[in-house]
């Protein structure tokens, strides 16, 4: 990912925060961008194209991370049994051919962004998802529970 694209994504996320769209705090927006950059670095190491940042997917990911945090669960299916496909349709996210999701959970620590990447790379299913050459865009959302756990969701699409 070029510095120009990263700067543009950072600006868009900053403006989203300033004008009140979404509920992510400033620290999580920075961390979401850090994970985005780390994912694209891993993809570049393997000769894969960089993913584009998608605000719709980030909003979906944030919302799901917040839901898991608030309702104290960790699963690809929410309490109503809805998957990322269902949640994307409910949020009226369109124009995708495939959609996927990686989740991460840990106790709060200052290195959780790199811990998430390492964890995903060690898990064959998550690694395959992160490094799927068909994905074109992603969004990442992070939430912290009242008791301090971190919930992270990354949503991928192929359009």
């Amino acid at each position: 990912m070029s510095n120009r694209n990263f700067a543009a994504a950072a600006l868009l996320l900053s403006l989203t925060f300033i004008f009140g769209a979404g509920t992510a705090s400033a620290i999580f927006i920075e961390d979401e961008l850090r994970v985005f950059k780390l994912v694209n670095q891993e993809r570049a190491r393997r000769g894969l194209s960089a993913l584009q940042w998608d605000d719709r997917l980030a909003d979906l990911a944030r919302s799901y991370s917040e839901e898991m945090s608030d309702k104290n669960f960790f699963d690809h299916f929410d309490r109503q049994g809805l998957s990322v496909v269902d949640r994307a349709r409910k949020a009226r996210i369109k124009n995708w051919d495939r959609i996927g999701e990686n989740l991460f959970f840990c106790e709060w620590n200052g290195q959780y962004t790199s811990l998430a990447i390492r964890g995903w790379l060690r898990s064959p299913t998550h690694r395959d998802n992160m490094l799927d050459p068909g994905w074109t865009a992603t969004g990442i959302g992070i939430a912290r529970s009242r008791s301090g756990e971190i919930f992270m969701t990354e949503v991928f699409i192929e359009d």
Side-chain angles (χ1 to χ4, degrees):
M1 173 180 199
S2 73
N3 286 337
R4 184 173 166 211
N5 286 342
F6 186 74
L11 175 62
L12 284 172
L13 284 173
S14 296
L15 290 173
T16 298
F17 177 71
I18 291 167
F19 291 105
T23 59
S25 71
I27 188 171
F28 292 133
I29 289 173
E30 183 179 312
D31 289 347
E32 290 165 1
L33 286 173
R34 183 175 299 119
V35 172
F36 175 63
K37 184 177 181 179
L38 291 170
V39 167
N40 274 331
Q41 285 175 351
E42 290 298 330
R43 291 176 63 86
R45 283 187 190 133
R46 291 155 178 85
L48 300 170
S49 62
L51 299 172
Q52 296 300 307
W53 182 265
D54 187 311
D55 286 328
R56 304 166 308 157
L57 300 179
D59 288 343
L60 184 67
R62 282 186 202 115
S63 174
Y64 194 57
S65 290
E66 290 166 2
E67 181 178 350
M68 289 189 293
S69 170
D70 292 345
K71 295 181 179 172
N72 196 30
F73 75 97
F74 181 72
D75 198 319
H76 287 283
F77 293 90
D78 68 14
R79 297 289 187 175
Q80 290 75 44
L82 300 178
S83 70
V84 66
V85 171
D86 302 313
R87 293 189 301 273
R89 288 181 179 146
K90 188 175 179 182
R92 298 181 186 196
I93 297 174
K94 300 178 182 184
N95 301 322
W96 50 269
D97 294 327
R98 287 190 311 138
I99 191 165
E101 174 182 73
N102 277 353
L103 301 178
F104 175 77
F105 168 85
C106 73
E107 297 294 324
W108 171 261
N109 72 59
Q111 302 298 316
Y112 73 89
T113 56
S114 58
L115 184 62
I117 298 301
R118 287 193 311 270
W120 287 338
L121 288 172
R122 289 181 185 139
S123 162
T125 304
H126 292 94
R127 179 185 177 176
D128 289 349
N129 215 15
M130 185 170 68
L131 302 176
D132 186 317
W135 298 135
T136 54
T138 191
I140 299 154
I142 300 170
R144 185 173 177 184
S145 72
R146 290 177 195 224
S147 56
E149 297 95 357
I150 294 293
F151 292 81
M152 185 184 307
T153 305
E154 181 170 16
V155 178
F156 305 90
I157 61 166
E158 178 179 349
D159 51 13

